[in-house]
Amino acid sequence: MTTLFTDSPLSSLLNRLFAQAETTTSPALAALSREERVRLMHSKTEYLQFYSQLKDLWLPVSRETGALLYLLARSTRARNIVEFGTSFGISTLHLAAALRENGGGRLISSEFEPTKVMRAREHLAEAGLDDLVEIREGDALKTLSHGLPENIDLVLLDGAKALYGDVLDLLLDHLRPGALIVADNADFSPEYLARVRAPNTGFLSLPFGNDVELTLRLA
Ligand SMILES: C[S@@+](CC[C@H](N)C(=O)[O-])C[C@H]1O[C@@H](n2cnc3c(N)ncnc32)[C@H](O)[C@@H]1O
């Protein structure tokens, strides 16, 4: 198991949150057939209903992906980060912790489910990282369509999978050359994968670990 921030208050908080995430179940999800689940994961029109049904589920990045996010943000000395899909804030905590160690910066995160936004804010405040994070409440297709930093260093795509390409379009003009995009569970977004893996499109992209697509903006 990958463990970050050993013996720090953040490590205890993350352990507690990962444990809570593991034990939370969703009767709504259990009631869906596998086929229906897969269909909804690919849907560009029913994502709000789908994720509203799952509002109690944490669906966090894995511990490994959390560590990867921290590592990438530190190694690139990221100052401007954008996140699609906050949920209860587990990935957000990793990214904000890296910003703190980098000397400060700004993380714009996006989540439409109000109860999740509230809980994520509480977790960030508990970690003393809330001053670095702006959680924009609402559909990211709207909330990330304005007010972005000129030079984004790092992006996490972890909201509705079918929207990865649309969110990339919103961010594209703001991604600095050398910016990194981490897309979690991108297998559910074949359109996005085809786009970032295609030659001569300005990206270099490869699958990384079990569930991440890691993409570099070339120019
Ligand atoms: C997989 S979870 C994110 C997990 C989070 N990154 C973490 O590691 O804890 C996906 C989240 O994205 C949110 N979401 C999905 N589509 C969205 C959209 N279009 N705009 C804003 N939030 C969205 C869902 O409500 C859900 O909480």
Side-chain angles (χ1 to χ4, degrees):
M1 182 174 78
T2 308
T3 309
L4 262 186
F5 320 115
T6 320
D7 293 334
S8 73
L10 184 54
S11 153
S12 315
L13 174 62
L14 284 171
N15 284 338
R16 195 183 89 216
L17 300 185
F18 272 120
Q20 256 178 284
E22 267 168 31
T23 52
T24 309
T25 54
S26 162
L29 186 64
L32 293 175
S33 69
R34 204 188 117 67
E35 291 71 30
E36 183 64 352
R37 237 184 265 184
V38 170
R39 188 187 72 75
L40 290 167
M41 290 282 283
H42 286 90
S43 171
K44 269 198 178 198
T45 53
E46 292 171 80
Y47 58 91
L48 291 178
Q49 298 93 305
F50 179 52
Y51 280 98
S52 297
Q53 278 188 303
L54 308 185
K55 70 181 168 54
D56 297 325
L57 277 188
W58 291 56
L59 309 166
V61 292
S62 66
R63 281 183 182 268
E64 286 70 25
T65 301
L68 176 70
L69 292 169
Y70 179 81
L71 180 156
L72 293 175
R74 289 299 309 277
S75 63
T76 56
R77 298 194 174 92
R79 291 288 182 153
N80 287 300
I81 303 179
V82 174
E83 174 177 59
F84 169 44
T86 320
S87 195
F88 289 82
I90 287 187
S91 50
T92 322
L93 285 164
H94 288 84
L95 292 167
L99 281 183
R100 178 71 82 221
E101 292 300 320
N102 287 349
R106 184 178 180 206
L107 166 53
I108 296 174
S109 190
S110 51
E111 173 58 58
F112 76 82
E113 179 53 48
T115 53
K116 286 187 163 183
V117 173
M118 196 182 69
R119 293 284 301 283
R121 287 192 177 129
E122 285 169 7
H123 298 148
L124 287 160
E126 187 176 340
L129 295 168
D130 48 331
D131 58 309
L132 298 167
V133 183
E134 176 193 348
I135 303 180
R136 296 188 180 174
E137 186 176 324
D139 189 336
L141 291 183
K142 291 198 183 113
T143 64
L144 297 182
S145 67
H146 58 87
L148 296 172
E150 240 171 69
N151 284 304
I152 298 172
D153 302 297
L154 178 64
V155 173
L156 171 63
L157 298 177
D158 197 21
K161 309 304 157 198
L163 302 185
Y164 281 7
D166 302 81
V167 173
L168 179 62
D169 283 336
L170 296 178
L171 308 180
L172 204 52
D173 289 346
H174 300 263
L175 291 177
R176 69 164 172 83
L180 292 171
I181 308 164
V182 175
D184 204 38
N185 303 123
D187 287 350
F188 287 102
S189 193
E191 223 177 87
Y192 172 83
L193 287 183
R195 177 174 171 187
V196 293
R197 288 178 184 172
N200 305 317
T201 51
F203 296 109
L204 178 63
S205 194
L206 77 166
F208 191 90
N210 286 334
D211 31 40
V212 158
E213 180 76 7
L214 181 58
T215 303
L216 172 72
R217 168 124 208 216
L218 291 168

